[in-house]
Amino acid sequence: MSNWFKVADDVARFASELATVAGVGGVFYALKSFKKSERDSKQAELSEMMKNSIEVLRLFSESIIPQIGKCHEVYLAMYESSFLEYQQIVFEKEGKRIEHLPPELKSATELECKIKAEYIGIFNQLEQVCAYISNGLIIDDVVYPTVHSVFIRFCDRHDDLLNHLTKDSTPYKHVHDVLDKWKLKSDRQMLEKQKEDVDKKLAKLK
């Protein structure tokens, strides 16, 4: 009878151990499955970010940059027309031919011509694109090297219009965020390059 109890006890222990092993095995399997799922998830996220990056580059190449060129042509024609009109007025009133608009009038005319040339549409496109960039939905190392100089140059050249457009209702938050971030990065790279050039020159003098 005691042997029967002993066997039953051994079976119970064995069953318990099997359950424990199975439990541990289940945990290991779950962890392995989770890690694979996490890797797959990261891979899917990286793939989506690459797609977004390619789309941003496509928008710059096929839409934004060509539109900048078209707006610039319209702007130049409108500004020249405004200048010639004012030049004629001054000539008729004062009998002299001016070469430049007065500073305040020049600034006002430039802003007016930029608005009429529809630069606003470009800033609207940039705000949408910059939303992807500032929210980390693209791969910065893919997008930044190709378009940062165009983006920074455009925003700097038309900062009067950007400041005029920036209001509580249309803050262009993402444009400002990316502009500040990329300017800092560009300045840092320029300084590092200058330091590298100086170090090379110093090394040659040793």
Side-chain angles (χ1 to χ4, degrees):
M1 191 73 172
S2 60
N3 286 338
W4 185 88
F5 278 113
K6 185 174 182 304
V7 170
D9 185 56
D10 288 342
V11 169
R13 287 183 181 179
F14 181 67
S16 176
E17 288 171 358
L18 279 177
T20 301
V21 170
V24 172
V27 171
F28 277 122
Y29 178 77
L31 286 173
K32 186 176 180 181
S33 298
F34 173 76
K35 288 180 179 179
K36 182 180 184 302
S37 175
E38 189 177 28
R39 285 197 301 271
D40 292 344
S41 177
K42 287 182 178 179
Q43 186 63 37
E45 182 181 353
L46 186 62
S47 177
E48 187 65 25
M49 289 174 69
M50 179 58 77
K51 289 179 182 177
N52 292 338
S53 301
I54 292 171
E55 178 62 14
V56 167
L57 294 177
R58 187 191 68 79
L59 285 172
F60 265 93
S61 175
E62 298 181 7
S63 179
I64 294 174
I65 293 176
Q67 190 64 24
I68 289 174
K70 291 177 182 177
C71 288
H72 186 61
E73 289 179 3
V74 174
Y75 164 78
L76 289 178
M78 295 181 69
Y79 183 84
E80 183 180 8
S81 177
S82 297
F83 169 73
L84 292 175
E85 182 179 345
Y86 182 79
Q87 186 186 56
Q88 184 63 29
I89 292 172
V90 172
F91 181 76
E92 291 175 357
K93 286 185 176 181
E94 303 177 17
K96 64 179 181 180
R97 193 166 297 278
I98 62 170
E99 298 297 329
H100 307 283
L101 292 177
E104 290 186 7
L105 181 58
K106 181 176 184 293
S107 297
T109 302
E110 287 176 346
L111 181 58
E112 181 183 5
C113 290
K114 288 176 183 181
I115 293 172
K116 290 181 177 178
E118 299 185 355
Y119 278 105
I120 296 173
I122 298 174
F123 276 115
N124 289 340
Q125 287 186 71
L126 288 174
E127 176 66 8
Q128 295 175 13
V129 167
C130 287
Y132 278 84
I133 299 172
S134 62
N135 286 311
L137 300 177
I138 57 96
I139 300 174
D140 199 61
D141 289 341
V142 173
V143 174
Y144 171 84
T146 306
V147 301
H148 79 279
S149 58
V150 173
F151 173 74
I152 293 173
R153 187 165 57 249
F154 176 80
C155 291
D156 282 349
R157 186 173 292 170
H158 304 291
D159 64 337
D160 55 340
L161 178 59
L162 180 58
N163 292 332
H164 175 76
L165 295 173
T166 301
K167 301 172 183 175
D168 291 338
S169 57
T170 54
Y172 288 93
K173 178 182 181 300
H174 298 300
V175 169
H176 286 289
D177 287 347
V178 175
L179 182 60
D180 291 342
K181 176 185 174 183
W182 280 8
K183 271 189 170 181
L184 285 174
K185 186 172 182 176
S186 178
D187 290 343
R188 188 183 307 113
Q189 288 179 336
M190 182 181 67
L191 291 173
E192 289 173 353
K193 180 66 168 60
Q194 290 176 347
K195 181 180 181 300
E196 182 181 341
D197 292 340
V198 170
D199 290 341
K200 287 180 180 178
K201 291 179 180 179
L202 288 174
K204 290 179 180 179
L205 296 176
K206 292 180 179 179

